[in-house]
Amino acid sequence: MAKQFVYDKFDVREIDLEKIQEKPGQYIGRLGDAGALHCAKEIINNAIDECTNRRSPGSNIKIVLNEKTNELECTDDGRGIPFEIVETICTVLQSSSKFTRTEGGGASAGENGCGIKASNALGETFEVETAHDGKIGTLKFERGKKKGEMTFKKCGKDEHYTTFRFKPSPIFLGDPCIIKREGLIEWLEKMSFELPPSINIDLTILPKTSKDKKYHKAFKNKEGFGAYIKTKVKNNVTDFFEFADTAKVTETLTVRNENNPIGPLGTKYDVDREILLMFSFTMVEDPNNIFIDSFCNFVNTTEHGVHFDACKRSIIKYLTRATTDSFNNRDMKGLTITNKDVENALCLTVNINTDLNPQFEAQIKNKVGS
């Protein structure tokens, strides 16, 4: 008979982080500088999730990148994390995931509950500081190992925030693993078009030497999602089409937990959800000027997916038909307008925000599969 493990002898928190450290590419998709930037994005996305959550008072995110020490600090002015679960959400895979969202929470990028754990596991140092209810709790890690218990100090009763501090580790990510300012700025600029206008992101970059100037920029969505494509298309196009609308849908969920108060295991229940669809497009004469991009729940889906394909297919179908209908029979003689003609001229950006489960393909969320 095979020998069985006695799991009580193991600390699941250490086991989960060791899984990430042994195969980081499985969780973040890349190593080196790109891996360091991905871990930084995971931390910032956590702040974005908090500030866009309808239950949160937060609307401000402050980011400081210290190029001299290669450390990132990100602070949101949201609710703060309950002290009793801080260690769990930093160490246990799938904790804090949004697999079982409750009604009214809003869109979230935190599908799998792996991002913050990956940043912790792959960090030379990782620190969480969170404030609420008159106390500030701080918990520190080095290379995924906890350095003592959480420490506390007093603060104002109305003070609430969460700060993550992260320095990537060359042991797990390879050397070099620099959080490059160019990649961070480019990503924040892109993300700013997707965020609600109420969200403010403030970035400060402290340079390597005192001879270089400190960099500071505020990111805010002043013109809406449609402005994104206008900044990317380079041939002086003046005609842009923008669309935004919200649909209410009902999602049927199944109770998967014996202790769930909603009902016994296997019970089905309905939850009200929303889907916000935004897209913008224009046409260009030069195929070299074509630009496409997509987002879902504050994630840049660089490999697109079902949401982008459906919009693109519908727009192409409509424009092909509308163009053909605009000609009379004499003008159309010997002329055929095909879907490919439209596709070769179409610049398109698509964004979906929803509290449904969008089923990203893999942890790095580059593509939407549902």
Side-chain angles (χ1 to χ4, degrees):
M1 184 175 178
K3 184 178 180 181
Q4 295 182 349
F5 285 106
V6 181
Y7 288 103
D8 291 345
K9 293 183 179 180
F10 297 93
D11 188 334
V12 68
R13 293 166 294 190
E14 293 186 4
I15 292 174
D16 279 358
L17 296 188
E18 286 172 2
K19 290 177 186 176
I20 301 171
Q21 291 169 346
E22 289 172 2
K23 293 187 177 181
Q26 181 175 326
Y27 293 89
I28 64 171
R30 63 213 75 184
L31 302 178
D33 295 344
L37 179 59
H38 184 90
C39 289
K41 290 178 183 179
E42 291 284 8
I43 291 169
I44 297 168
N45 267 330
N46 193 76
I48 290 174
D49 270 359
E50 176 59 22
C51 288
T52 53
N53 189 301
R54 294 167 185 167
R55 302 186 184 94
S56 172
S59 60
N60 300 290
I61 300 169
K62 292 186 178 180
I63 304 164
V64 179
L65 173 61
N66 189 327
E67 292 185 320
K68 187 175 182 179
T69 61
N70 194 32
E71 292 177 287
L72 180 104
E73 178 179 286
C74 179
T75 301
D76 67 72
D77 61 348
R79 296 164 293 180
I81 305 170
F83 300 124
E84 63 273 15
I85 66 170
V86 169
E87 183 178 354
T88 299
I89 68 168
C90 292
T91 56
V92 179
L93 290 174
Q94 273 76 57
S95 64
S96 73
S97 75
K98 306 302 187 300
F99 286 135
T100 54
R101 290 192 185 96
T102 55
E103 184 178 349
S108 171
E111 287 296 311
N112 301 327
C114 295
I116 286 296
K117 292 79 175 171
S119 299
N120 183 11
L122 304 176
E124 191 68 17
T125 58
F126 186 86
E127 181 178 330
V128 189
E129 181 181 302
T130 187
H132 56 87
D133 299 326
K135 290 195 295 185
I136 300 172
T138 303
L139 187 62
K140 298 181 180 181
F141 298 83
E142 287 184 10
R143 300 176 185 173
K145 302 290 185 181
K146 187 172 67 169
K147 304 300 290 184
E149 299 301 320
M150 177 176 281
T151 60
F152 293 94
K153 60 182 179 181
K154 293 182 179 180
C155 67
K157 289 185 178 180
D158 296 330
E159 195 169 355
H160 49 86
Y161 66 85
T162 298
T163 297
F164 287 97
R165 299 182 182 93
F166 164 73
K167 179 177 182 177
S169 173
I171 293 176
F172 307 117
L173 291 171
D175 194 3
C177 54
I178 308 300
I179 305 172
K180 295 290 186 68
R181 69 159 65 190
E182 296 83 6
L184 182 61
I185 293 170
E186 180 184 4
W187 179 71
L188 287 173
E189 290 219 357
K190 183 183 292 192
M191 292 301 298
S192 67
F193 290 101
E194 193 201 356
L195 295 174
S198 59
I199 306 298
N200 307 293
I201 298 181
D202 187 274
L203 172 65
T204 299
I205 299 179
L206 306 177
K208 288 183 179 180
T209 68
S210 57
K211 295 179 182 179
D212 299 317
K213 289 184 178 179
K214 181 171 71 173
Y215 176 93
H216 177 263
K217 185 170 183 178
F219 298 88
K220 189 175 179 66
N221 183 3
K222 297 179 180 179
E223 301 179 70
F225 180 71
Y228 176 45
I229 197 170
K230 296 177 185 178
T231 67
K232 294 297 182 180
V233 178
K234 303 175 182 178
N235 63 338
N236 299 318
V237 173
T238 56
D239 294 328
F240 293 86
F241 182 87
E242 299 178 34
F243 174 89
D245 199 9
T246 301
K248 293 186 180 297
V249 296
T250 300
E251 181 181 21
T252 300
L253 300 178
T254 302
V255 173
R256 302 176 186 271
N257 188 329
E258 295 279 7
N259 299 318
N260 195 311
I262 295 175
L265 185 67
T267 301
K268 294 185 181 297
Y269 62 101
D270 292 336
V271 180
D272 292 332
R273 302 296 199 198
E274 287 185 352
I275 302 175
L276 168 63
L277 169 64
M278 297 181 280
F279 64 82
S280 180
F281 69 85
T282 188
M283 309 296 288
V284 295
E285 294 182 6
D286 184 357
N288 294 321
N289 286 332
I290 285 179
F291 175 79
I292 59 174
D293 206 353
S294 63
F295 303 83
C296 179
N297 283 7
F298 316 114
V299 173
N300 184 197
T301 47
T302 54
E303 296 180 15
H304 312 307
V306 175
H307 65 318
F308 179 84
D309 294 340
C311 279
K312 180 180 177 181
R313 185 168 56 248
S314 299
I315 291 168
I316 289 174
K317 183 178 179 180
Y318 169 78
L319 291 177
T320 302
R321 185 178 67 247
T323 303
T324 301
D325 292 346
S326 68
F327 289 94
N328 58 40
N329 292 335
R330 184 181 63 183
D331 292 334
M332 282 298 295
K333 189 175 182 179
L335 178 64
T336 302
I337 306 296
T338 68
N339 288 348
K340 198 66 178 177
D341 294 324
V342 177
E343 183 177 8
N344 288 339
L346 179 66
C347 296
L348 173 65
T349 55
V350 177
N351 178 32
I352 281 185
N353 288 343
T354 179
D355 52 359
L356 281 163
N357 180 4
Q359 295 181 16
F360 291 101
E361 294 188 2
Q363 162 58 23
I364 56 176
K365 306 186 184 83
N366 283 351
K367 190 174 183 179
V368 175
S370 64

